[in-house]
Amino acid sequence: MCEPRYFTVEYSINPWMDPNRPVSTELAVRQWTALKETYERLGHQVETIQPQPALPDMVFAANSGTVIDGVVLGSRFRAPQRAAEADFYRKWFLDKGYRDVVMPDRVNEAEGDLVWTGDVLLAGTGFRTDPGAHAEAQEVLGVPVVSLHLVDPRYYHLDVALFVLQNATRTSRAHIAYYPGAFSPGTQRALRRLYPNAILATEADAACLGLNAVSDGHNVVLPVEATHLAAEVAAQGYQPHFVDISELRKSGGGPKCCTMELRG
Ligand code: ARG
């Protein structure tokens, strides 16, 4: 995670970002700290990276790397305003002793668009990550990739339209939740085939960035406004934990955007 010490909304690269609307950096830091403490309270170890003054979106750690079994695929941002973030994260991985760190050639916004399910990597495209990055991810990470097409600009990254509640096991597919309206008709059909038991989120669930949730298989951390989704999640046996991310949402981000998962 990366503290939002320099968080602002001074440019607009998604429909959530309005540079004319006031943002409180101090409140963003408090909300981010509460998210970090939530993970720690649930028994997770959190590593942090030093924030950088000229990179207000650096708080969205999910966009800077995809780590599976200790192999790191770095990122390449579409927007020039965020481009420099990638190298700070690359250096962080090297400092931490990761040996297999590969930087992509194609635009690749990492876990923003690449969602690991335990057996396949779901890969979004349409707004940010280049479809060519999907094949690259398969080569570098050595996992099967399923491409998904996003069509609604409010849900410009896959991780604001879909999340994994429970990873796949040897005998069952992953358990996921998603908002169908974020995807093209063909992708909706593909998702129904792959995940017939998925939780289907409503427009209201999606509109508060409720799908930008983080699950460890038992606990699901999600925005406080996502009450309907939380009830669905609870009905399926998971424990919801609410966080307030109102300031970060002004940049189009939620709990998952602030969180890069280090797998192995
Ligand atoms: N303002 C950031 C952007 O538009 C938000 C990124 C949110 N990150 C995410 N993983 N969805 O790039």
Side-chain angles (χ1 to χ4, degrees):
M1 298 178 76
C2 179
E3 189 190 53
R5 199 179 306 156
Y6 307 106
F7 177 70
T8 57
V9 177
E10 58 192 32
Y11 50 80
S12 179
I13 55 172
N14 70 52
W16 302 83
M17 300 174 84
D18 175 1
N20 297 316
R21 190 158 158 229
V23 169
S24 164
T25 304
E26 195 198 311
L27 180 54
V29 168
R30 280 209 300 276
Q31 293 177 342
W32 176 89
T33 304
L35 174 63
K36 179 169 175 283
E37 287 170 357
T38 300
Y39 292 139
E40 288 167 340
R41 187 162 42 77
L42 295 173
H44 300 290
Q45 191 190 325
V46 180
E47 310 254 9
T48 56
I49 183 172
Q50 184 77 18
Q52 298 297 323
L55 297 172
D57 273 339
M58 193 170 167
V59 55
F60 301 117
N63 297 130
S64 287
T66 306
V67 188
I68 300 176
D69 290 342
V71 179
V72 181
L73 176 59
S75 70
R76 181 179 290 271
F77 286 89
R78 184 163 297 277
Q81 294 96 327
R82 296 196 65 186
E85 293 176 36
D87 206 50
F88 285 105
Y89 281 87
R90 184 185 66 84
K91 290 191 189 112
W92 183 92
F93 282 111
L94 296 176
D95 285 348
K96 288 282 165 178
Y98 286 80
R99 300 219 178 133
D100 246 329
V101 182
V102 178
M103 297 309 280
D105 291 328
R106 302 301 191 93
V107 170
N108 179 326
E109 297 202 357
E111 289 193 326
D113 278 318
L114 303 177
V115 175
W116 178 236
T117 65
D119 59 357
V120 297
L121 185 69
L122 300 179
T125 189
F127 297 99
R128 298 289 182 89
T129 296
D130 187 294
H134 297 178
E136 232 183 322
Q138 180 162 287
E139 282 311 309
V140 171
L141 298 167
V143 296
V145 170
V146 175
S147 290
L148 305 174
H149 206 93
L150 296 161
V151 294
D152 183 333
R154 287 171 303 166
Y155 309 114
Y156 57 94
H157 272 146
L158 181 58
D159 75 352
V160 291
L162 175 153
F163 76 101
V164 176
L165 287 146
Q166 178 103 62
N167 271 3
T169 63
R170 215 167 293 140
T171 50
S172 64
R173 283 257 159 75
H175 191 205
I176 70 166
Y178 66 95
Y179 171 54
F183 298 95
S184 67
T187 291
Q188 290 185 32
R189 283 161 54 213
L191 283 170
R192 275 202 300 274
R193 269 180 193 257
L194 275 174
Y195 302 106
N197 302 322
I199 294 179
L200 299 183
T202 62
E203 160 90 73
D205 293 329
C208 64
L209 293 182
L211 289 155
N212 197 245
V214 177
S215 173
D216 61 14
H218 306 283
N219 302 293
V220 178
V221 178
L222 76 181
V224 63
E225 297 85 357
T227 49
H228 170 265
L229 183 59
E232 295 266 317
V233 156
Q236 307 251 354
Y238 303 92
Q239 179 66 53
H241 300 270
F242 289 119
V243 287
D244 186 353
I245 46 105
S246 61
E247 288 311 288
L248 298 158
R249 192 165 42 224
K250 292 177 180 170
S251 191
K256 173 58 202 170
C257 299
C258 296
T259 313
M260 181 203 291
E261 288 164 71
L262 300 172
R263 306 177 187 87

